[in-house]
Amino acid sequence: MAFDIDMIKQVYANMTERVDAARKITGKPLTLSEKILYSHLWEGTPTKELVRGKDYVDFAPDRIACQDATAQMALLQFMQAGKPKVAVPTTVHCDHLIQAKDGAATDLKHANNTSSEVFNFLESVSNKYGIGFWKPGAGIIHQVVLENYAFPGGMMIGTDSHTVNAGGLGMVAIGVGGADAVDVMAGMAWELKFPKLIGIKLTGKLSGWTAPKDVILKVAEILTVKGGTGAIVEYFGPGATSMSCTGKGTICNMGAEIGATTSTFGYDESMERYLRATDREDVADAANKVKDYLTADDEVYANPELYFDQVIEINLSELGPLLNGPFTPDLSTPVGADMTKKATDNEWPLTVEWGLIGSCTNSSYEDLSRASSIAQQAIDKGLKMKSELGINPGSEQVRYTAARDGILGIFENLNAKIFTNACGPCIGQWARYSDPKNAPKNSIVHSFNRNFAKRADGNPNTHAFVASPEITAAIAIAGRLDFNPLKDFLINEDGEKVMFDEPTGWELPPKGFEVKDNGYLAPEKDGSHVKIAVNEDSERLQLLEPFTPLGNTISGAKLLIKAFGKCTTDHISMAGPWLRFRGHLDNIANNTLIGAINAFNKKTNFVKNQITGEYNAVPAVQREYKKAGINTIVIGDHNYGEGSSREHAAMQPRHLGVAAVIVKSFARIHETNLKKQGMLGLTFANEADYDLIQEDDTFNFLDLNEFAPDKPLTIEAVHADGSKDVFEVNHTYNNSQIVWYNEGSALNLIKKQNA
C-alpha cells in the first residue's frame, strides 16, 4: 500500500472539479502541466486565467522531500518557524554525506561514524516534527521518491534540483531552496511564477544502443543549459508512451540541466506497471479512475504548436547514443563520431580512467540490468576492463533485487566497486585522490547528470562525459573515449577481434522487487517530547540567527568579485568535502565563491581587498569587509547560480555581508533563494554595463528607497580615479518578495506572523 493514500485520493477528487473549471475559464484544452498547476492553486478552484511567464501564483504542493545536505539548513530554519508539526507529508533522505571510496559496507560504516552527529540531528528533528526519515544507505532521494511517493498528477517540491525526477511518474515536481520548503512545512502557500510551456514530441521508438538518457542529452544540446529557464517541459507522443517509467524519470531528472522548472509525462501504461510493481496498486487503481485528467487533452497533443510556447520534435528511431561534455552537460557528441578529432583538437584525454554508473539519474533496476548485459558480454567474450568501474544502486530495494538476480555479481566479476546506495561521486563524495587540486589531467565517463569542473572528484583536470549506463559500461571496458560499440571491435585475451551485441535488459524485475529492510523510520504520532540538542562547540551544526534587514539605503558598498563566465552553485558553494559543514553556516561560509573566476585576473579564490590593497581568498577578504561594517556586491555573468538548488549559495554571501548580486541573468532557483534570504538579486538592464565594472569600484544605490515591483533601480559605480558610471538594473520582485527584503528574510516574516 502507498504512503499517504488518502491524500492522493483527495488530490484526484479535487482535480476533476478544478481542471473542469480551469478549462472553462481559459476557454481552451489544457496541457498536463496546466491541469496539475490549476488543480494545486492555494485558493482552490481557479477563478481566472493565469498568464505564463508573468503571474506570480500561490500553490499548495502535496508533499516535500529533503536530502540530508540541504535538510540540515531547511530544518534549522523550520525550527524557528514556531510550528509543532509539518503541515504536509515530508521526508528526509540521508544520501549525500556518504563518501565513496572502498565499497558499500566500509563506506557506509565510515559515514555513520563521521556524520553520526548530523544523522542523529536529522532523525530526531524528523521524529519531533512528523517527518518520515530514510536512514543512510536506504537510497538516493529521487529513486526512493519514485519508488514510494511519486504519483501521477501530484505536485511536490524538494530541496534538491533533481526533485524533477518524479516527473517520470507524471508529477509536477520542482526543486527549491530550503526556505521555500519551510514555507510549505509551516502551512503557507508556495509561490512560483506561472511557467511557460515547452512541448517535446517524441516519435519513433528507442532501439539498440539508444537509451532514454540520449533523449535528454539531445534536448540539452538543442536548448542549452539555460534554454528551459522559466518553463515546464512536457513530453508526449508515441515515443514517450513506448518508454519505461524509470526511463521517463531519467529524462525529467536531467531537465534540471537545461534550467527547466520541471519536466513531466502524461500518465500511461508504463507508469501503471511501475506503480503496481512497487506495491502501489491502490495508487494505480485511483489514477485509472481519473486517467483523462492525468494527461493533456487530446487536442493539445494533436496540435501542440497552438498550446505550447515552443515545440520540439525528436524522432527516437533516428536518435543515436550521445556523449555530452566535458565541463558542461549541453556539449554533445554522437558516440564515436568525430570524437577522436574533437578530443585531439581540444586536448581532451582519450584514455578513460573510470566509468561510473548510478546516481539519482540512472540507478534503476532497468539501468543496471542493461549495463550488466554489456558487462556479461565482456566476460563471455574474454575482454578485460581497461578502466575502473563503479556502481551506485539507486535504493536498497534496487540493490537487494539486483543482487538477488545476479546483476551486481556480474559487475563484481569485472572487479567493479559496488558503492553505497547513495549519491557518491555524483555529488563530489568520492575519495579518488588524496590531493585533488594537483591531480593529473584525465577523462571519466558516467551516467550522472552534472559534469562541471571538480564536480565528481575535486580535480579541475578531470574531464567528465555524460552517457547512458550501457554506453558508460562499453566505454569503460574499452578504455577509450572514442570507442563506438556499434561499429568498433576490441581485441580479447586470445588476440581475437570481438564486438559487443546490443544491450538487453528488463524494464522491471521478472521476479518482482524484494527488500528486507528498506531503511525507513516513521515518526512518532506525537513528537512533542523529543528534545533537539545542538552542541555550541559543534563544527557540523549551528543554530541560526536571524538576518538583519539591509535597509533602503545602501552606499559605499565594495566590489567583492566580478565573476567571469560560468558560475554555478558549485562555484559559489562547493560540495565534496564541504558537505560536512552544510548544517553550520559560519563554517561552510569559508568556501563562498572560491570556485568563481575573477574577471580581472582569471584566477579562482584570489580577489583584491580594497581596504588593504592586497589580494587574498574570497571568504577572507569578505570577512574583512564584514568586520569593517562594509556591504559588498557580487557581479556575475549569464545564468548565474546554475545547477544545484543549494540555498547555501545564497545564505553564505548573506551571512558574510554581501548585499546584492548583479548579473546578466539568473538561474531560477538561485534567484529565488537570494530573495528568500533578504538580498537583492538584480540584472543589468543593459548587459554591456557588466563591462563598466572595475576592480576598485564602490557602489551607491540611488533610489532603493523607491524599491517597487516592475521599477528598475539605479546604481552609481564610483571608480578608483573618481570617475563614475550610473547604470540601471532590473529585478523581478513582487510586493510580497519586497516584504521579505524589508524584513531581512522570508523566515523573519514567518516568525513574525506565527508570533
Side-chain angles (χ1 to χ4, degrees), residues 4 57 99 103 171 207 391 524 606 620 631 704 709 731:
D4 310 305
V57 183
Q99 190 177 54
M171 292 194 89
S207 63
I391 311 292
E524 295 186 32
F606 199 65
N631 287 322
L704 188 55
H731 66 84

Side-chain angles (χ1 to χ4, degrees), residues 258-575:
I258 59 170
T261 301
T262 191
S263 305
T264 195
F265 287 77
Y267 180 59
D268 61 17
E269 292 180 359
S270 72
M271 295 184 191
E272 181 180 354
R273 290 194 297 270
Y274 189 74
L275 286 169
R276 296 191 187 283
T278 51
D279 198 27
R280 288 176 287 173
E281 293 88 352
D282 43 1
V283 178
D285 292 341
N288 285 342
K289 293 176 182 176
V290 293
K291 62 182 178 181
D292 290 343
Y293 290 84
L294 303 177
T295 189
D297 292 333
D298 292 341
E299 166 66 14
V300 171
Y301 291 162
N303 296 288
E305 64 282 351
L306 299 178
Y307 303 101
F308 291 97
D309 298 290
Q310 181 180 357
V311 178
I312 297 168
E313 185 169 332
I314 299 174
N315 186 340
L316 302 186
S317 300
E318 298 174 356
L319 183 66
L322 299 170
L323 202 56
N324 282 28
F327 305 129
T328 186
D330 58 357
L331 178 59
S332 192
T333 305
V335 167
D338 301 323
M339 181 56 84
T340 306
K341 183 178 187 306
K342 204 169 181 179
T344 303
D345 290 348
N346 290 283
E347 298 184 348
W348 303 338
L350 278 166
T351 298
V352 173
E353 295 192 3
W354 270 88
L356 297 157
I357 296 169
S359 90
C360 63
T361 330
N362 279 109
S363 55
S364 67
Y365 184 90
E366 180 182 33
D367 292 322
L368 297 183
S369 69
R370 283 180 63 84
S372 73
S373 75
I374 304 303
Q376 185 63 57
Q377 287 186 56
I379 296 167
D380 296 342
K381 295 174 188 285
L383 293 169
K384 277 195 170 182
M385 290 287 302
K386 296 292 179 63
S387 310
E388 300 282 346
L389 183 63
I391 311 292
N392 281 86
S395 68
E396 176 58 15
Q397 178 168 266
V398 166
R399 187 212 64 81
Y400 188 93
T401 307
R404 178 201 68 190
D405 295 347
I407 289 172
L408 296 188
I410 294 171
F411 291 124
E412 289 172 326
N413 288 337
L414 281 178
N415 294 318
K417 279 190 178 177
I418 311 299
F419 293 126
T420 315
N421 315 318
C423 301
C426 184
I427 190 60
Q429 284 284 51
W430 187 19
R432 185 183 179 194
Y433 299 110
S434 57
D435 183 12
K437 292 180 181 178
N438 296 309
K441 191 174 182 178
N442 73 102
S443 288
I444 65 173
V445 176
H446 60 56
S447 69
F448 305 162
N449 38 46
R450 294 202 170 126
N451 58 348
F452 305 139
K454 306 182 188 178
R455 172 79 179 187
D457 57 13
N459 177 9
N461 299 311
T462 293
H463 294 56
F465 295 83
V466 185
S468 68
E470 44 268 61
I471 289 293
T472 298
I475 288 179
I477 292 163
R480 281 187 64 86
L481 199 61
D482 55 356
F483 175 67
N484 182 358
L486 288 76
K487 298 179 179 179
D488 297 344
F489 62 81
L490 297 171
I491 305 298
N492 69 8
E493 292 180 283
D494 298 324
E496 302 167 331
K497 292 181 178 180
V498 297
M499 288 186 67
F500 285 117
D501 301 318
E502 293 178 350
T504 59
W506 294 273
E507 175 186 354
L508 296 163
K511 294 188 288 185
F513 283 109
E514 188 177 351
V515 66
K516 284 191 174 179
D517 177 9
N518 65 4
Y520 175 70
L521 296 177
E524 295 186 32
K525 288 186 177 180
D526 180 4
S528 58
H529 68 283
V530 177
K531 303 296 182 185
I532 311 297
V534 174
N535 189 330
E536 288 186 5
D537 298 325
S538 172
E539 293 185 348
R540 301 291 298 272
L541 297 166
Q542 180 187 46
L543 295 177
L544 295 175
E545 295 291 333
F547 289 134
T548 302
L550 291 165
N552 61 7
T553 55
I554 295 176
S555 60
K558 300 294 186 182
L559 176 70
L560 174 61
I561 186 172
K562 179 180 177 179
F564 174 79
K566 187 185 285 285
C567 190
T568 72
T569 49
D570 277 39
H571 295 88
I572 305 167
S573 174
M574 287 185 179

Side-chain angles (χ1 to χ4, degrees), residues 609-630:
N609 182 334
Q610 292 189 44
I611 298 174
T612 65
E614 298 176 350
Y615 287 82
N616 205 340
V618 180
V621 171
Q622 178 56 43
R623 286 186 186 276
E624 286 295 315
Y625 288 136
K626 182 178 182 180
K627 186 177 179 182
I630 298 172

